[in-house]
Amino acid sequence: MTQEKLQAIAAQFELVGDIESIKPLGEGFINDTFVVKTVGDNPNYILQRKNHNIFPDVPGMMDNIKAVTEHIKQKVADPMRETLTVIPAKDGKLYVQDGENFWAVCLFIADTASYDRADSPALAYQGGVGIGRFQALLSDFDKPLNETIKGFHNIRWRFQQWDETIAKDPVGRVKELQEEISWIESRREEMLSFWSLVEDGTIPTHVTHNDTKISNILFDKPTGNVLCAIDLDTVMSSTSLNDFGDAIRSYTNTGAEDDKCLDNVEMSIDMFRAYAEGYLSEQRATMTQSELDWLAFSGRYITFEQVLRFLMDYIDGDNYYKTAYADHNLVRTHAQYKLLQSMERQYDEMCAIVKELSAK
Ligand code: ADP
Ligand code: GN1
Ligand code: MG
């Protein structure tokens, strides 16, 4: 993508100030993200090419983001910093379509930090507060939301995709993956029976973020406190347990998501406690008993789902996640499986911590 092309796209949005530069940012697995710097004291912007293969209805997704951010803005002290601000195109749409590509812009929130890994329990606590608060701010949001990715955290749907991918075996990788496939199959019933509690309403649904890894939270640089949840592409109705579980998958990992050295990867129970404490400080009062009962399990559920998704993408020939090298998705599978096993070993302790914290 040339600078000229990027400039031409950015110029179609309602930006204040002349563009000084457009530079790539971050390492997201799905979209391409750029920072648009403007001349002088004018605001800067985030320009994103939204992955249309993964998000079939980008206009519907942008409607979701606009609606939830407008809702949050009504309730917070600093509406320009405590949530994203969507910048429309000059034609009034929330995106610009350029051939097959869809682009969107939001305000760059200055003086913030984001992290790929939690390096202290204090940060994990703040992360928990951030997602708990995000859910609380949206607890009275009552407009319908578009389903941006079908069955995103629905393991029944994921197993359907899984069975089809294994049957198809498009690049002939299934035969060498019998052990990894058994990791998935041996947990199928357990995961489906958890999900059936969401399907039958035992576990309620809410407006949720659905992609709560640590890099999707901004922290305020001057105070170190959490500022807001970003990357709102997957905001949809689901169980709030998914947001907790996905964050636990990310904040508690002592290694990297794609660590080649499996000895680095464990679930840190201290990080678990810190994140849970932050989250429950915002959410405890409104949670049902069924949500509390399954809170610790949600870390296992989402980590399992991630093992399945990475492995399924590897079997499929690496079409979904961006990869940096040939067997990247397999390395991710192994590292996430190590994390899952670590959670399974420490599950009783996780449950005891939830019990202790929720009794406070
Ligand atoms: P992706 O979908 O590729 O993960 P994100 O929306 O998460 O993209 O953005 C990638 C990174 O860019 C974030 O982790 C954060 O560091 C930074 N970022 C995104 N949006 C903003 C924003 N509005 N203000 C400041 N930084 C941002
Ligand atoms: C993707 O977009 P990003 O990088 O924040 C993915 C998540 C995965 C995550 C794994 C829309 O998140 O579901 O958990 O990678 N997002 C989508 O790191 O599939
Ligand atoms: Mg992101």
Side-chain angles (χ1 to χ4, degrees), residues 40-297:
D41 287 340
N42 292 305
N44 297 322
Y45 300 91
I46 292 281
L47 169 68
Q48 251 179 2
R49 177 163 55 182
K50 301 289 186 182
N51 189 324
H52 184 39
N53 291 331
I54 288 177
F55 297 105
D57 178 16
V58 176
M61 173 171 91
M62 294 310 298
D63 285 342
N64 283 0
I65 298 176
K66 178 77 178 170
V68 301
T69 54
E70 288 301 319
H71 186 89
I72 292 173
K73 282 178 192 296
Q74 304 300 317
K75 298 178 151 193
V76 292
D78 189 348
M80 302 311 277
R81 283 178 67 71
E82 290 182 56
T83 191
L84 291 179
T85 303
V86 177
I87 306 294
K90 287 177 175 162
D91 64 5
K93 295 197 178 119
L94 301 178
Y95 58 89
V96 160
Q97 188 175 359
D98 169 50
E100 286 185 350
N101 294 316
F102 284 77
W103 296 82
V105 169
C106 65
L107 204 63
F108 180 86
I109 308 175
D111 298 320
T112 55
S114 66
Y115 302 88
D116 284 329
R117 200 184 290 208
D119 52 11
S120 71
L123 191 73
Y125 178 91
Q126 283 296 319
V129 169
I131 292 302
R133 191 174 293 158
F134 177 82
Q135 292 177 347
L137 286 164
L138 292 169
S139 60
D140 60 344
F141 181 91
D142 57 6
K143 300 188 192 81
L145 286 170
N146 300 301
E147 191 177 27
T148 53
I149 297 180
K150 181 175 155 59
F152 193 51
H153 289 310
N154 174 343
I155 211 69
R156 198 175 301 284
W157 169 243
R158 292 294 182 190
F159 270 117
Q160 202 173 312
Q161 294 177 314
W162 165 261
D163 290 338
E164 282 165 17
T165 308
I166 301 254
K168 217 167 156 197
D169 192 15
V171 288
R173 286 177 170 166
V174 161
K175 62 180 177 309
E176 62 201 46
L177 295 169
Q178 290 311 306
E179 191 188 340
E180 289 83 351
I181 289 171
S182 77
W183 300 342
I184 302 298
E185 293 302 339
S186 62
R187 292 165 176 83
R188 186 190 280 253
E189 287 318 314
E190 179 183 39
M191 296 300 160
L192 284 170
S193 67
F194 164 74
W195 192 250
S196 67
L197 299 175
V198 178
E199 291 167 322
D200 72 14
T202 306
I203 294 173
T205 53
H206 304 279
V207 177
T208 48
H209 183 288
N210 295 304
D211 190 1
T212 50
K213 68 184 191 188
I214 186 167
S215 58
N216 290 335
I217 283 272
L218 290 185
F219 296 83
D220 182 50
K221 239 187 212 156
T223 61
N225 291 339
V226 69
L227 192 58
C228 60
I230 57 168
D231 202 347
L232 304 178
D233 299 353
T234 51
V235 169
M236 285 180 269
S237 180
S238 188
T239 156
S240 42
L241 297 179
N242 290 336
D243 284 355
F244 184 85
D246 201 19
I248 290 306
R249 180 184 75 78
S250 157
Y251 285 80
T252 66
N253 191 348
T254 55
E257 190 178 70
D258 58 355
D259 223 304
K260 286 186 175 162
C261 176
L262 295 181
D263 288 344
N264 292 340
V265 177
E266 285 292 341
M267 187 199 77
S268 156
I269 198 78
D270 293 341
M271 292 293 185
F272 178 83
R273 172 183 281 278
Y275 186 91
E277 196 166 7
Y279 180 79
L280 288 167
S281 73
E282 294 285 327
Q283 280 294 318
R284 169 67 190 98
T286 56
M287 287 172 75
T288 65
Q289 190 56 47
S290 62
E291 288 174 311
L292 286 170
D293 290 346
W294 290 94
L295 195 66
F297 187 81

